[in-house]
Amino acid sequence: MSGIASIKRVSEESTTDLPRLHVIAGDGIISAADYRERIGPVLRVGGRSIAVHLRARTVHAARLFEVALWLAQCARKTGSLAVVNDRLDVALAAGAGGIHLREDSLPPEDVLQVAGSVAADARGLRVGRSIHDARQAAMYPADRLDYLVLGTVYATPSHPEREPLGLPAVADTVRLASVPVLAIGGIVPATLPSVLSAGVHGAVVLSGVWAADRPSDAVSRYLEVLDKEAAP
């Protein structure tokens, strides 16, 4: 069985276990001396319901690997999903549970081929990709990706140059996609129900967690909404 087939066979079986809340930890968190004290409570509160993404744009690879290795070890204890953005080498070396691709990252099929040839235990590696247009959703079949992240939905200070897509575009993306869609961009607990009503699997957040006085409390608020919306 090829490397791609091996990885995706396991991944497809566990699609329903994809966390609904994904929390991005950017350069400020990764480079902080107290990153363990910042991320640790978020993992403990979120458990299996969250994924934590390490998104490094300026932090050097050695530091990213240090944090990714710690995150992967902690995530195995809490049941959370540890994700490294863009850097497949770091994700594999650290034993992360997922790799998230930007638009200018390696193609998903190449990521899967490399992962399958490098590490036998990479079969369960989750692979996601960012898109910024509903039409892109149809480009990625389920045998190449586990999820898509669409944004930005609402205006956000992290990407002030991007025009918000709005909920109709979210609904169109969900309709065209063959994998779960996560929404990103200006999503707070108060707006999360509206986004979920468009059919997304969940949300990806950054400032909504880290700008809070207690990030772990913010995670709890997001999860309360997700649990309520999932209730029959």
Side-chain angles (χ1 to χ4, degrees), residues 53 58 61 63 87 92 113 129 141 147 150 153 169 171 201 228:
H53 292 231
T58 60
R63 176 64 169 194
R87 294 295 301 266
L92 292 176
Q113 190 66 53
R129 192 184 189 281
Y147 66 89
L150 175 72
V153 176
H201 179 74
K228 180 179 179 181

Side-chain angles (χ1 to χ4, degrees), residues 132 151-156 159-167 169 184-185:
H132 302 99
T152 58
V153 176
Y154 300 114
T156 173
H159 291 290
E161 77 285 357
R162 289 183 183 165
E163 186 73 19
L165 294 171
L167 295 181
I184 189 173

Side-chain angles (χ1 to χ4, degrees), residues 93-105:
I99 176 76
H100 184 78
L101 308 174
R102 307 180 312 203
E103 284 190 311
D104 58 355
S105 297

